[in-house]
Amino acid sequence: MNQAAINRVLRCYDCDPGKLLAVEKGYRNETHPIRLGDGRQLNLIVYKSELDIVRTIRNANQTSDFLAECGFPTRRTADPRILRLRSGCQERFAALYNYLSGQTIPWEAYTQKHIKLLGKTMSDMHAALRDFDASGLPDVPDVYLEIVVRMQRYFAETGVRRALAEKLRLAPPKFDACVATLQACKHLPGQQALHMDFVRSNILFGDAFGELVITGILDFEKTARGNALFDIARTLAFLLVDCKYKPPEKVRKYFLTSGYQKRGAADFQNVSIKTKAGNIDVLESLISVFLLHDFYKFLRHNPYDSLPQNTHFIRTRDLLLHHGLVVR
């Protein structure tokens, strides 16, 4: 959107025209930081039109606003209205938020302090979200069971199986344990609102009186209802792949033991589920689910020939080989 279009939207929000700053483009949205004439800085986020996008925005706003009221550095709606924007055949939606300072940093730059702070903040967030009414949110197990169906359909294709074998020397993934875990997780206690995208691009860091702090927790568009193990596993899956200069056991210790358990406000309780295939460690199985989804996205969006040079893909593949979900 150009400056003129932004100013038209701002007038709909009863704001004076402002100066458009550097635009940030994401998968689902565009973020337009704006400095108003009175010195205030706001974020206008423009969302692509997709299935249930208005409900997705509302769920995200309600969860984020609730946490902001609890003192967390989350986006707060500057105006409750969600605007429908039309340009020719294109339809998009807009929402206006406060501005959060800070910066994202590469996973490779995460220190022990960053990882511990990430774990503590997630734990505190989970403790606060116990009091949030999550009844209107989608259920995480159902969301990922649908994703598993899509993955199974993809890996059933003859061309995909041939390319996996010839170019990557891999057999198609196994899904039985993933499905069993997701089905069982629908009945776990402690169902609550979760972020479900608590990863590098959505965490802003800053400095307060010489101390490292998280200044922003962004993008609640994937917020859903489930056991806290889903959120923990989702973030751990990213950390284990992308913090490549730290051994996996150190990453787990910093994030889960030192951060989430010792410094945070929520209790951590892993679960073992008995299935026909044997006992399943839920946290480890959910980490595998998220790694498998990332593996699938690598294959869908990259030429197979380029993947052996992609270190993130290689680390994801190796973790899945270790967990036995992918075999040579």
Side-chain angles (χ1 to χ4, degrees):
M1 294 179 69
N2 58 29
Q3 183 72 65
I6 293 291
N7 286 340
R8 286 196 295 271
V9 175
L10 289 175
R11 281 193 286 271
C12 292
Y13 280 118
D14 303 319
C15 291
D16 294 328
K19 181 181 178 182
L20 178 61
L21 306 177
V23 178
E24 299 174 14
K25 295 188 177 183
Y27 171 75
R28 179 176 275 118
N29 57 49
E30 292 180 2
T31 300
H32 300 268
I34 301 156
R35 183 173 291 115
L36 301 181
D38 59 9
R40 287 185 299 151
Q41 195 159 330
L42 298 174
N43 258 341
L44 178 69
I45 300 185
V46 179
Y47 298 88
K48 297 176 184 177
S49 181
E50 56 185 57
L51 183 65
D52 289 334
I53 186 61
V54 173
R55 181 185 300 174
T56 297
I57 298 170
R58 286 197 181 115
N59 286 340
N61 291 351
Q62 289 169 2
T63 310
S64 188
D65 281 350
F66 174 85
L67 286 171
E69 289 291 333
C70 295
F72 287 82
T74 57
R75 281 182 179 143
R76 187 192 297 266
T77 50
D79 189 296
R81 291 173 290 175
I82 299 169
L83 300 184
R84 177 182 282 120
L85 310 178
R86 288 181 177 172
S87 177
C89 297
Q90 187 179 47
E91 182 179 67
R92 292 183 291 177
F93 295 85
L96 193 63
Y97 304 90
N98 67 322
Y99 177 81
L100 295 170
S101 62
Q103 60 183 357
T104 60
I105 62 172
W107 284 122
E108 294 88 343
Y110 269 49
T111 65
Q112 176 180 329
K113 284 186 177 180
H114 288 95
I115 299 173
K116 287 181 180 179
L117 183 56
L118 203 66
K120 176 191 182 306
T121 303
M122 176 180 279
S123 181
D124 291 343
M125 181 181 71
H126 285 166
L129 285 172
R130 289 178 192 147
D131 295 327
F132 178 76
D133 181 6
S135 59
L137 300 180
D139 288 324
V140 183
D142 290 337
V143 171
Y144 276 89
L145 282 167
E146 290 181 10
I147 289 172
V148 167
V149 170
R150 292 202 297 270
M151 291 195 290
Q152 288 174 316
R153 190 181 302 128
Y154 174 78
F155 287 110
E157 295 177 13
T158 303
V160 169
R161 288 174 172 267
R162 184 183 303 117
L164 273 175
E166 294 177 357
K167 297 185 177 183
L168 299 175
R169 302 290 187 268
L170 296 173
K174 301 175 182 178
F175 292 96
D176 290 350
C178 295
V179 172
T181 301
L182 292 169
Q183 291 283 8
C185 284
K186 297 170 72 169
H187 309 291
L188 289 179
Q191 304 283 321
Q192 63 170 90
L194 306 172
H195 187 288
M196 291 309 300
D197 207 14
F198 202 79
V199 298
R200 184 195 68 82
S201 59
N202 294 330
I203 306 296
L204 303 178
F205 288 97
D207 180 274
F209 306 105
E211 290 291 326
L212 179 71
V213 294
I214 289 177
T215 59
I217 305 171
L218 312 177
D219 292 358
F220 280 77
E221 283 81 12
K222 292 182 181 177
T223 189
R225 179 178 175 271
N227 186 278
L229 288 170
F230 277 97
D231 242 355
I232 294 169
R234 166 78 167 154
T235 300
L236 261 178
F238 275 90
L239 287 169
L240 291 169
V241 169
D242 292 338
C243 291
K244 59 184 179 182
Y245 299 118
K246 295 177 178 60
E249 62 272 14
K250 292 290 186 183
V251 170
R252 291 172 183 273
K253 178 183 176 183
Y254 298 155
F255 177 74
L256 190 53
T257 306
S258 301
Y260 194 98
Q261 291 179 265
K262 290 185 177 179
R263 290 170 170 79
D267 295 327
F268 170 74
Q269 292 184 341
N270 194 10
V271 179
S272 179
I273 297 175
K274 192 172 184 179
T275 69
K276 293 180 181 179
N279 289 336
I280 292 177
D281 180 301
V282 172
L283 178 60
E284 294 306 314
S285 186
L286 289 177
I287 289 172
S288 295
V289 170
F290 294 121
L291 289 171
L292 192 54
H293 188 210
D294 291 336
F295 177 80
Y296 159 79
K297 288 186 289 186
F298 274 120
L299 298 179
R300 286 294 305 271
H301 302 299
N302 297 277
Y304 280 27
D305 292 331
S306 71
L307 292 173
Q309 288 75 50
N310 187 314
T311 58
H312 287 205
F313 169 79
I314 295 300
R315 289 173 64 82
T316 302
R317 179 206 65 187
D318 289 349
L319 284 166
L320 285 170
L321 285 168
H322 177 72
H323 284 254
L325 269 79
V326 171
V327 296
R328 294 187 184 278

